[in-house]
Amino acid sequence: MTKPLLCLLLLLPCLAAAQSFDDGYYPFAVREEPQPMIETDTTLFYRAVQAAEDAYGRITDFNLPQVSLRRRGQEFRDERIELDGIVVSWRHTAALRLLGAAEEHTAGIAAESDAPGAAGGVRRFVFTPDEALTPHLASVRLTDRNYRVGAKVSSSLDVGRGWRLRVAADARTGRDMHVEGVFTNALTAGFHLSKRFAGGSELSLLAVVPPSVRGTRLSSVGEAFTLTGDPLYNPAWGFQQGRVRNSRVRRECVPLGVASWRMPLTAKTSLALTLGGEAGLRRYSALGWYDARTPMPDNYRYLPSYTGDRESEQAWRSRDARYTQVRWDELIAQNRLAGGEAVYALEDRVERIGDVQADAAFVTELDGRLTLRYGGWVRRTSTRHYKQMRDLLGADYLVDIDQYLVDDDTYGNLLQNDLRHPDRRIGRGDRFGYDYTFVVREAGVRLQAAYRSDRLRADAALVLSDGVIFRRGHYEKELFPGSLSCGASRRLHFTPYTLRLSAGWAFTPRHYLSAALLAAARMPEAEALFFQPQYNNRTVDDPAAEKNYAAELAYRMTGPVVGLEVTAYATLRLDAAQTQRYYDDMAGLYCDMSVSGIGWRALGVEAAADIRLSQRWSLALAASVQRSEYVRDPLVTVLSDADNTVVDMRAVSRMGGCVPGGAPRATACAELAYFGPKGWGCRLSAGYVGGRYAEPSFLRRTDRIASQGGTSPELFDAFVRQERLDDALTLGASLFKSFYFDRSRLVAALMLRNLLGDNDMVYSAYEAQRVRRIAAGDQTLWQPHATRLTYALPRSFYVTVSYRF
């Protein structure tokens, strides 16, 4: 019985034979066959060698250790993702792939597509009219990460009269086998309908609906992981009547719709019109406590290092759920003793999203070599934020007042969250706490000129736009009456721009050198422009657009045995900003903090090589070195949350030399693949990431915190020293088998990740804002709170079977 089961497991994995990415787990399905060696060397390949494949990203996106990485120092939002000229969210990319959209990805600023370029690269999806040889797909998968079982189907159909329909669905369900409380129940369904008319016009309609419910895990401190002996300890869950319940659950459904029309205007000019957008809800649950002790079990006040009692330490070491997890039954009991009003409750932080975009793109072929692309777009994003009661945990109601001010001697008589509906009793499903909308409007024009010859390619792109951001409050906060909290705030205007120049020369059909320059300004995130957007219309004093400057130099070589790509890059970001609400221990106040003038740079080199060792063996190598660091000391302004009085004004945060979190000094990856006879094959990969640091805190490096708290060299060092994370090293392996039939193909694969079983590999980390007060005789000492950590998952598996026909 054991041997058949083992054989079944070995056969199961490689899902989509035509699937380029499968949830990030197995992207090799389209490459599980050896490709024929190409010996020819003709001028037809001049343009082929110019095409940017991003070999480094192809090799490392999947094979590097599962740690949080900021490639080239860039943030996740720096990558532009677009479909037919409009920007789409990352949440829809898997559905677009499943529907058969072709994907073009360019790292950095050397964009080869119609997009003008972005600091973090461009990912462009395009639906082509080409019909696949095997238009139907059915697959199933098993895994131990995030969910247990998944299935997907897709089909491309000719529905008559020139219409072609593509439909797809992907479902996932089950609990994570490693982290308690983590689960996924998700279904993504979509269709793409297109028709090509006489004369060359084409109509395209797309709709994607992705509802999902996911239980998540929270970061914690090193003490909690050490005491429990579990690097995957998750403080978000607990037992309720003997069953596991997670307090942090994401529920979202944000459908996407896109309609596009392409038409030729003249023999040399064509026009593409696109209208699209997404609208829906995102909810994230969290426990709320009202004039009561925090229910989070890993709060520093509950840990043995603070309590100092042996009983707490023993309970943590024995993983007593009454100490280490959320005590749901106790919270319900406390509510019932309170006489009807909730002391604890489960809240939903809700975002109601409405994003509409329209784009007009013209393409004019002046001759066989010069192409002009020009057009314009408009975009309006409206995101409404509010809290909604999910579960009163046995209580009857909650009064909608500011619970943080109940015991405040100065502001305890200004408690109303909604002054126009005072002392409103909240029940399940009611909104409370805060209610406001961010509105972002932007319109712009673009022009791109592209010259192509056999050897030379040159591009110049210019984008100019005008944007406005404002907040509209729907509650009148008693602390900030009238227009201070309710109604529209002042409008903040920005004039973003992008200027990109690039050129490349093919010395031979195998050797190509290119360079690119970028200067851009973009609107900051709306959240970074308001001290307390939940109930205050006050904007930051010096709003400014973020400035981005970048340069790249790339060399590419192609050959029948070796393909090589080397890119040197330099990136500089200035005038970035962020805001945050937190409890300031030294001031003894809830405060709002604005950080302005953030600046960092990244200098580095990336290299990738594909080596054809033989007809059946291939080797892929990738490596990078970079120096990413803050180059400016930003200014920190701290205001009292209750009355906007100044706690610290434009204090200098000494960030010089600190490294942005997730920006490693070095990465390396190797992948060895074997393509055996009769469809068998295997892969072995290794990845390394070194020189990582925890995300630094701006507040801790101001004089008020570091100098006042750092009364000794050791304490001062604790405030300003950035914690370095251990280097990460993992191994992975996969085994696959392809079965060929008349006009169809069955693919199965088994993949194992983190074969070393390293349980101490940190996924990400960030420094805490708060500091701890320590009474030592007649003196008061301060020390920073411990760094918050999230560990990577241990050894895990992924099994998939797909049939394409």
Side-chain angles (χ1 to χ4, degrees):
M1 185 66 181
T2 304
K3 289 184 178 180
L5 286 176
L6 179 59
C7 292
L8 178 62
L9 274 178
L10 293 177
L11 277 176
L12 269 180
C14 168
L15 219 164
Q19 211 58 24
S20 61
F21 282 85
D22 190 286
D23 299 331
Y25 286 113
Y26 199 74
F28 303 124
V30 295
R31 298 188 284 114
E32 295 303 19
E33 300 175 31
Q35 301 300 315
M37 301 175 73
I38 300 175
E39 300 291 348
T40 183
D41 184 5
T42 149
T43 54
L44 294 176
F45 286 83
Y46 276 121
R47 297 195 180 187
V49 75
Q50 297 172 3
E53 184 200 3
D54 185 23
Y56 177 88
R58 172 178 55 80
I59 298 170
T60 60
D61 283 349
F62 175 80
N63 287 321
L64 277 181
Q66 296 306 293
V67 296
S68 177
L69 293 178
R70 288 171 54 174
R71 183 179 175 185
R72 303 187 183 182
Q74 301 291 336
E75 298 176 4
F76 182 76
R77 70 185 183 97
D78 293 331
E79 181 182 77
R80 177 184 173 92
I81 305 174
E82 65 170 40
L83 169 69
D84 291 337
I86 67 172
V87 177
V88 297
S89 171
W90 59 268
R91 70 173 64 86
H92 301 300
T93 56
L96 294 176
R97 295 179 185 119
L98 189 58
L99 284 168
E103 183 176 357
E104 302 172 4
H105 179 239
T106 305
I109 61 174
E112 304 293 348
S113 66
D114 298 347
V122 177
R123 192 176 300 273
R124 184 168 178 253
F125 290 90
V126 179
F127 283 99
T128 63
D130 301 332
E131 172 61 19
L133 296 177
T134 52
H136 312 294
L137 168 70
S139 70
V140 295
R141 57 195 186 275
L142 306 172
T143 184
D144 56 348
R145 302 177 50 197
N146 299 321
Y147 63 96
R148 298 285 184 90
V149 181
K152 61 175 64 176
V153 294
S154 67
S155 183
S156 180
L157 307 169
D158 187 348
V159 293
R161 297 189 177 183
W163 289 96
R164 176 153 294 279
L165 175 65
R166 305 180 188 185
V167 294
D170 182 4
R172 291 160 289 162
T173 186
R175 297 170 57 183
D176 189 287
M177 295 177 62
H178 301 285
V179 185
E180 192 66 82
V182 174
F183 66 89
T184 298
N185 294 309
L187 172 66
T188 299
F191 73 85
H192 178 257
L193 183 64
S194 62
K195 179 177 180 177
R196 183 179 291 273
F197 297 89
S201 297
E202 183 178 352
L203 175 65
S204 173
L205 302 173
L206 170 76
V208 176
V209 182
S212 67
V213 180
R214 295 180 293 125
T216 65
R217 62 167 167 158
L218 294 179
S219 62
S220 192
V221 295
E223 181 181 1
F225 295 118
T226 300
L227 289 171
T228 60
D230 181 12
L232 302 180
Y233 164 70
N234 180 15
W237 69 273
F239 290 107
Q240 181 175 341
Q241 296 182 346
R243 300 183 63 182
V244 172
R245 183 179 186 182
N246 196 334
S247 63
R248 296 298 181 102
V249 178
R250 293 187 183 274
R251 298 171 175 86
E252 67 175 49
C253 183
V254 187
L256 170 70
V258 179
S260 62
W261 174 262
R262 296 182 179 87
M263 70 187 86
L265 299 179
T266 68
K268 293 186 176 182
T269 301
S270 62
L271 169 64
L273 298 174
T274 304
L275 176 65
E278 58 180 11
L281 289 174
R282 287 201 307 234
R283 306 173 186 269
Y284 188 31
S285 66
L287 282 168
W289 56 100
Y290 318 109
D291 197 23
R293 299 186 69 187
T294 172
M296 299 311 299
D298 62 337
N299 183 272
Y300 75 99
R301 293 178 179 271
Y302 301 154
L303 294 174
S305 61
Y306 183 88
T307 63
D309 65 282
R310 187 174 182 83
E311 180 184 357
S312 295
E313 181 178 351
Q314 290 177 342
W316 272 87
R317 292 189 181 279
S318 62
R319 300 190 189 182
D320 188 336
R322 295 173 300 173
Y323 288 78
T324 62
Q325 308 302 148
V326 176
R327 301 172 63 182
W328 291 99
D329 294 331
E330 177 64 23
L331 303 184
I332 294 172
Q334 291 287 338
N335 276 348
R336 289 173 177 168
L337 292 174
E341 185 173 1
V343 178
Y344 297 97
L346 189 65
E347 312 167 347
D348 271 340
R349 286 83 184 270
V350 185
E351 296 180 17
R352 184 182 294 274
I353 299 170
D355 184 2
V356 179
Q357 304 175 62
D359 183 88
F362 296 85
V363 178
T364 299
E365 301 280 353
L366 295 181
D367 55 36
R369 297 186 175 184
L370 181 61
T371 302
L372 295 182
R373 298 182 176 91
Y374 48 99
W377 84 96
V378 294
R379 183 178 185 182
R380 184 185 188 276
T381 301
S382 175
T383 307
R384 188 162 182 169
H385 302 256
Y386 55 87
K387 278 202 298 189
Q388 191 170 24
M389 183 58 68
R390 171 157 292 274
D391 191 346
L392 284 164
L393 301 180
D396 298 325
Y397 64 92
L398 174 70
V399 178
D400 189 13
I401 60 175
D402 192 330
Q403 301 288 339
Y404 294 105
L405 298 177
V406 169
D407 298 324
D408 192 290
D409 295 335
T410 304
Y411 301 102
N413 59 342
L414 302 174
L415 300 177
Q416 299 302 324
N417 287 324
D418 185 3
L419 189 57
R420 300 181 184 183
H421 300 88
D423 296 324
R424 184 165 54 98
R425 290 194 172 189
I426 304 302
R428 183 176 181 179
D430 292 338
R431 298 185 188 184
F432 71 105
Y434 59 84
D435 189 355
Y436 67 96
T437 300
F438 276 138
V439 179
V440 181
R441 298 171 183 163
E442 187 176 9
V445 295
R446 63 179 177 270
L447 171 64
Q448 181 184 20
Y451 178 83
R452 300 288 186 272
S453 69
D454 285 340
R455 291 178 179 268
L456 174 67
R457 67 184 303 160
D459 291 85
L462 176 65
V463 181
L464 299 174
S465 62
D466 181 76
V468 62
I469 300 175
F470 64 93
R471 174 192 181 273
R472 179 177 290 114
H474 304 292
Y475 282 175
E476 182 181 357
K477 181 81 169 177
E478 191 169 11
L479 279 173
F480 305 100
S483 61
L484 295 179
S485 60
C486 192
S489 69
R490 75 179 177 110
R491 284 164 167 75
L492 302 175
H493 289 268
F494 301 91
T495 54
Y497 65 86
T498 298
L499 174 62
R500 183 177 64 88
L501 302 173
S502 66
W505 178 262
F507 295 94
T508 73
R510 300 193 185 280
H511 301 274
Y512 179 67
L513 183 68
S514 64
L517 298 172
L518 175 78
R522 68 177 182 184
M523 293 196 297
E525 295 293 307
E527 291 82 357
L529 298 174
F530 294 83
F531 274 99
Q532 176 47 284
Q534 291 184 354
Y535 43 74
N536 196 336
N537 272 337
R538 175 165 178 170
T539 63
V540 298
D541 297 329
D542 50 355
E546 290 186 11
K547 311 299 191 305
N548 289 276
Y549 307 95
E552 291 181 11
L553 181 65
Y555 167 74
R556 188 176 307 118
M557 182 192 75
T558 62
V561 177
V562 178
L564 176 65
E565 217 175 89
V566 181
T567 302
Y569 59 88
T571 302
L572 176 65
R573 174 169 297 173
L574 302 174
D575 296 331
Q578 62 177 243
T579 58
Q580 185 175 351
R581 184 180 190 243
Y582 71 102
Y583 184 79
D584 194 294
D585 295 273
M586 287 189 172
L589 298 170
Y590 283 97
C591 291
D592 306 318
M593 178 182 68
S594 168
V595 185
S596 61
I598 302 171
W600 57 261
R601 72 181 173 201
L603 306 173
V605 177
E606 292 179 346
D610 289 296
I611 305 172
R612 195 64 176 269
L613 300 175
S614 68
Q615 185 67 26
R616 298 195 180 278
W617 289 92
S618 67
L619 177 65
L621 303 173
S624 71
V625 292
Q626 77 165 340
R627 178 78 177 184
S628 183
E629 62 184 357
Y630 288 93
V631 294
R632 283 190 176 179
D633 290 336
L635 300 179
V636 177
T637 296
V638 179
L639 305 181
S640 168
D641 183 73
D643 58 5
N644 283 350
T645 57
V646 175
V647 175
D648 205 0
M649 176 61 72
R650 298 180 68 82
V652 175
S653 176
R654 308 194 186 283
M655 296 289 294
C658 288
V659 178
R665 297 286 176 86
T667 66
C669 182
E671 176 190 284
L672 181 65
Y674 171 72
F675 303 93
K678 299 182 179 180
W680 284 98
C682 62
R683 292 177 183 271
L684 182 65
S685 63
Y688 166 81
V689 178
R692 297 184 300 146
Y693 290 82
E695 185 70 44
S697 164
F698 297 105
L699 180 68
R700 279 171 41 170
R701 289 167 175 81
T702 60
D703 287 340
R704 185 175 68 91
I705 303 298
S707 297
Q708 181 180 340
T711 54
S712 68
E714 294 77 14
L715 288 175
F716 182 81
D717 182 66
F719 279 100
V720 300
R721 176 176 46 84
Q722 188 178 13
E723 181 177 346
R724 177 166 177 166
L725 307 179
D726 291 339
D727 295 349
L729 176 64
T730 60
L731 296 177
S734 62
L735 176 68
F736 51 89
K737 167 68 174 169
S738 297
F739 300 88
Y740 298 93
F741 304 100
D742 194 19
R743 290 180 59 108
S744 61
R745 179 186 179 194
L746 177 70
V747 183
L750 167 67
M751 185 191 67
L752 300 175
R753 310 191 80 166
N754 195 8
L755 287 174
L756 297 176
D758 186 359
N759 292 333
D760 296 323
M761 186 168 62
V762 175
Y763 172 80
S764 64
Y766 66 92
E767 295 177 350
Q769 295 280 53
R770 297 192 59 182
V771 297
R772 179 177 168 184
R773 181 179 182 273
I774 303 173
D778 58 351
Q779 291 185 331
T780 298
L781 302 178
W782 303 92
Q783 69 178 30
H785 274 260
T787 298
R788 304 288 298 189
L789 305 170
T790 300
Y791 283 90
L793 292 176
R795 186 181 299 112
S796 58
F797 71 89
Y798 189 72
V799 174
T800 175
V801 177
S802 68
Y803 181 55
R804 188 169 281 279
F805 56 99

